[in-house]
C-alpha cells in the first residue's frame, strides 16, 4: 500500500507518464482493486510505450471477470490504427485465446499490412488458422519461413504438427519435431512442453 501512495503522489504532478501509470495500475491490480486498476490502465495514452502492456492487463482482468466484456473490449481495441507490431500480436493472440479465431485472422492480416515481414505476426496468423483446424493454410503460411529460420522451434512445431494433423509427410514431420527434441538449440523455448506434446502426437499418428 505504501507504493500505491507514493505513485499516486508522484502522478499528481506527472499525470501523463505512462510508465508510472502502468506501475500504479499493476500495484492496484495486485491489491485486488481491479476496478480502479482498469481505470488507470485505460488512462494510458496510445502514444505511450506502455499502452500495449496496459491493454494486455485490461484484457487479462476482463477475461477473468467476464469473457463477454473481454470480447467486446477486444473488438473495440482492434479498430484502432496503431503502428506497433506488439499491438497486433496482442490483439490477434487475445482473439485466439477468447475463441475468436476468425477475428484473430483479420487482426493479424491487418498487422501484416504494416509489418509484412514480421515473423511473430505471421505465426500469430498461423496460430489462428490452426485454431480453426485449417492446417493446410498453416502450412502455406509457415513453410516459407523454414528456409530463413530453419531452427526456430515455433516454426518447426507449427509445420511438423500440421503435417501430423493432416496425416501427410509423416517422415518429414518426424524430422522437424525430432530436431527440436534432440538438438540443443540456443533458444530455451525449444524444449517446451508444447514441443514434447507435438512430438507425442506424431508418434501416436504412426501407430
Amino acid at each position: 500500500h505504501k507504493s500505491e501512495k507514493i505513485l499516486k503522489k508522484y502522478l499528481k504532478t506527472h499525470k501523463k507518464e505512462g510508465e508510472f501509470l502502468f506501475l500504479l495500475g499493476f500495484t492496484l491490480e495486485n491489491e485486488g482493486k481491479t476496478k480502479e486498476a482498469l481505470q488507470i490502465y485505460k488512462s494510458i495514452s496510445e502514444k505511450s510505450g506502455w499502452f500495449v502492456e496496459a491493454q494486455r492487463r485490461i484484457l487479462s482482468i476482463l477475461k477473468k471477470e467476464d469473457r463477454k466484456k473481454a470480447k467486446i473490449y477486444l473488438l473495440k481495441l482492434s479498430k484502432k490504427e496503431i503502428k506497433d507490431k506488439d499491438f497486433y500480436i496482442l490483439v490477434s493472440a487475445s482473439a485466439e485465446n477468447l475463441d475468436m479465431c476468425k477475428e484473430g485472422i483479420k487482426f493479424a492480416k491487418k498487422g501484416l499490412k504494416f509489418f509484412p515481414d514480421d515473423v511473430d505476426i505471421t505465426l500469430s496468423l498461423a496460430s489462428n488458422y490452426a485454431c480453426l483446424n485449417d492446417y493446410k493454410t498453416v502450412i502455406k503460411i509457415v513453410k516459407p519461413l523454414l528456409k530463413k529460420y530453419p531452427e526456430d522451434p515455433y516454426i518447426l512445431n507449427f509445420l511438423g504438427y500440421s503435417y501430423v494433423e493432416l496425416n501427410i509427410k509423416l517422415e518429414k514431420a518426424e524430422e522437424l519435431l525430432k530436431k527440436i527434441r534432440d538438438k540443443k538449440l540456443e533458444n530455451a523455448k525449444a524444449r517446451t512442453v508444447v514441443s514434447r506434446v507435438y512430438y507425442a502426437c506424431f508418434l501416436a499418428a504412426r501407430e
Side-chain angles (χ1 to χ4, degrees):
H1 297 72
K2 187 178 179 181
S3 57
E4 178 188 337
K5 289 180 181 178
I6 293 171
L7 286 166
K8 283 183 174 179
K9 184 178 179 180
Y10 179 83
L11 285 165
K12 283 182 179 179
T13 52
H14 302 78
K15 294 181 180 180
K16 294 183 179 181
E17 292 196 19
E19 181 179 359
F20 289 96
L21 284 169
F22 182 85
L23 288 172
L24 175 59
F26 195 68
T27 300
L28 291 166
E29 184 183 346
N30 286 329
E31 291 174 356
K33 301 176 182 179
T34 54
K35 187 175 181 180
E36 192 176 350
L38 284 171
Q39 291 177 337
I40 296 297
Y41 287 141
K42 289 178 181 179
S43 72
I44 295 176
S45 169
E46 292 178 16
K47 295 178 181 180
S48 168
W50 290 87
F51 176 77
V52 174
E53 285 305 313
Q55 303 314 304
R56 195 186 309 280
R57 299 311 314 150
I58 291 169
L59 288 166
S60 177
I61 292 170
L62 292 179
K63 185 188 171 186
K64 291 175 185 176
E65 294 182 349
D66 188 333
R67 286 177 67 89
K68 187 176 180 180
K69 286 184 179 179
K71 290 180 178 182
I72 292 170
Y73 186 83
L74 180 61
L75 286 172
K76 289 181 179 179
L77 187 64
S78 69
K79 293 177 182 178
K80 295 182 178 293
E81 295 285 343
I82 298 175
K83 292 184 179 180
D84 181 333
K85 79 164 196 171
D86 290 332
F87 174 75
Y88 294 101
I89 293 168
L90 171 64
V91 293
S92 58
S94 297
E96 180 185 353
N97 195 249
L98 288 166
D99 300 317
M100 300 167 62
C101 303
K102 289 183 178 179
E103 294 299 323
I105 289 169
K106 292 179 184 177
F107 303 158
K109 285 183 175 179
K110 186 177 178 181
L112 286 171
K113 288 182 180 179
F114 294 114
F115 307 96
D117 300 318
D118 189 81
V119 176
D120 294 323
I121 299 177
T122 301
L123 290 178
S124 186
L125 175 64
S127 189
N128 275 281
Y129 274 110
C131 170
L132 297 174
N133 297 316
D134 186 353
Y135 293 102
K136 288 183 178 179
T137 302
V138 172
I139 291 170
K140 287 180 182 178
I141 293 169
V142 177
K143 193 174 180 180
L145 298 176
L146 191 61
K147 289 183 179 180
K148 192 172 182 180
Y149 306 100
E151 295 190 340
D152 185 289
Y154 293 111
I155 293 171
L156 293 169
N157 267 328
F158 268 118
L159 197 53
Y161 186 53
S162 296
Y163 286 147
V164 172
E165 284 295 310
L166 294 171
N167 198 28
I168 61 172
K169 298 186 178 181
L170 294 182
E171 289 187 4
K172 181 64 176 177
E174 181 179 24
E175 177 190 329
L176 295 171
L177 297 172
K178 279 187 70 177
K179 189 172 184 180
I180 299 171
R181 187 192 68 169
D182 297 337
K183 190 171 182 179
K184 292 183 178 179
L185 301 178
E186 291 180 6
N187 190 336
K189 293 177 182 178
R191 291 185 176 275
T192 60
V193 174
V194 175
S195 301
R196 293 193 290 273
V197 169
Y198 286 174
Y199 187 69
C201 287
F202 167 77
L203 295 177
R206 291 194 67 182
E207 292 177 353

